[in-house]
């Protein structure tokens, strides 16, 4: 898996299956979304991409109520 911290470093020149969201944890709903993206990209023989946000939109909207990111390495 490749991790990019800047969207300008990502090349979108080839077809891919993309999901966009605030993946603040990997609960069952997120697992289902990610599984669907991987399955579909495998069927089509193309890359799968997960586009998430840092800092979290929750932090930007309610910084005083934000409990932190699940992965502090990002």
């Amino acid at each position: 898996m490749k991790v990019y911290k800047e969207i300008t470093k990502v090349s979108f020149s080839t077809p891919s299956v993309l999901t966009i969201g605030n993946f603040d944890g990997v609960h069952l709903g997120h697992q289902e979304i990610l599984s669907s993206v991987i399955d579909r990209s495998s069927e089509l023989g193309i890359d799968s991409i997960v586009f998430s946000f840092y800092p979290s939109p929750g932090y930007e909207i309610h910084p005083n109520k934000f409990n932190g990111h699940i992965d502090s390495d990002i």
Side-chain angles (χ1 to χ4, degrees):
M1 170 177 40
K2 294 180 183 176
V3 176
Y4 299 95
K5 296 186 179 189
E6 297 176 35
I7 194 165
T8 57
K9 307 264 185 199
V10 180
S11 172
F12 294 104
S13 61
T14 59
S16 58
V17 177
L18 169 71
T19 186
I20 301 172
N22 183 34
F23 293 93
D24 54 350
V26 189
H27 57 69
L28 292 176
H30 288 152
Q31 289 176 36
E32 183 64 31
I33 292 168
L34 297 174
S35 178
S36 295
V37 168
I38 291 167
D39 290 347
R40 185 65 178 147
S41 66
S42 292
E43 289 171 8
L44 297 171
I46 58 178
D47 290 336
S48 56
I49 299 174
V50 176
F51 187 95
S52 192
F53 304 95
Y54 185 87
S56 169
Y59 173 78
E60 295 293 328
I61 296 168
H62 301 289
N64 296 331
K65 296 180 182 179
F66 185 68
N67 292 323
H69 294 93
I70 197 163
D71 183 350
S72 61
D73 291 339
I74 295 177

PDB file of all heavy atoms in Angstrom, residues 25 27 69 74:
ATOM      1  N   GLY A  25     -11.484   5.124  11.781  1.00  0.00           N
ATOM      2  CA  GLY A  25     -11.363   3.827  12.424  1.00  0.00           C
ATOM      3  C   GLY A  25     -11.775   2.795  11.405  1.00  0.00           C
ATOM      4  O   GLY A  25     -12.243   3.138  10.331  1.00  0.00           O
ATOM      5  N   HIS A  27     -14.251   0.278  11.582  1.00  0.00           N
ATOM      6  CA  HIS A  27     -15.403  -0.454  12.107  1.00  0.00           C
ATOM      7  C   HIS A  27     -16.063  -1.247  10.984  1.00  0.00           C
ATOM      8  O   HIS A  27     -15.599  -1.205   9.836  1.00  0.00           O
ATOM      9  CB  HIS A  27     -16.373   0.493  12.809  1.00  0.00           C
ATOM     10  CG  HIS A  27     -16.873   1.617  11.944  1.00  0.00           C
ATOM     11  ND1 HIS A  27     -17.714   1.423  10.877  1.00  0.00           N
ATOM     12  CD2 HIS A  27     -16.620   2.947  11.995  1.00  0.00           C
ATOM     13  CE1 HIS A  27     -17.984   2.575  10.313  1.00  0.00           C
ATOM     14  NE2 HIS A  27     -17.323   3.526  10.972  1.00  0.00           N
ATOM     15  N   HIS A  69      -7.150  11.563  16.585  1.00  0.00           N
ATOM     16  CA  HIS A  69      -7.127  10.635  15.435  1.00  0.00           C
ATOM     17  C   HIS A  69      -6.792   9.237  15.923  1.00  0.00           C
ATOM     18  O   HIS A  69      -6.026   9.071  16.866  1.00  0.00           O
ATOM     19  CB  HIS A  69      -6.084  11.102  14.413  1.00  0.00           C
ATOM     20  CG  HIS A  69      -6.426  12.403  13.784  1.00  0.00           C
ATOM     21  ND1 HIS A  69      -5.965  13.596  14.274  1.00  0.00           N
ATOM     22  CD2 HIS A  69      -7.188  12.686  12.713  1.00  0.00           C
ATOM     23  CE1 HIS A  69      -6.446  14.581  13.529  1.00  0.00           C
ATOM     24  NE2 HIS A  69      -7.184  14.061  12.572  1.00  0.00           N
ATOM     25  N   ILE A  74      -0.187   9.431  11.090  1.00  0.00           N
ATOM     26  CA  ILE A  74      -0.567  10.089   9.831  1.00  0.00           C
ATOM     27  C   ILE A  74      -0.298  11.574   9.927  1.00  0.00           C
ATOM     28  O   ILE A  74      -0.488  12.197  10.898  1.00  0.00           O
ATOM     29  CB  ILE A  74      -2.041   9.807   9.488  1.00  0.00           C
ATOM     30  CG1 ILE A  74      -2.230   8.328   9.225  1.00  0.00           C
ATOM     31  CG2 ILE A  74      -2.485  10.609   8.286  1.00  0.00           C
ATOM     32  CD1 ILE A  74      -3.647   7.918   8.952  1.00  0.00           C
TER      33      ILE A  74
END
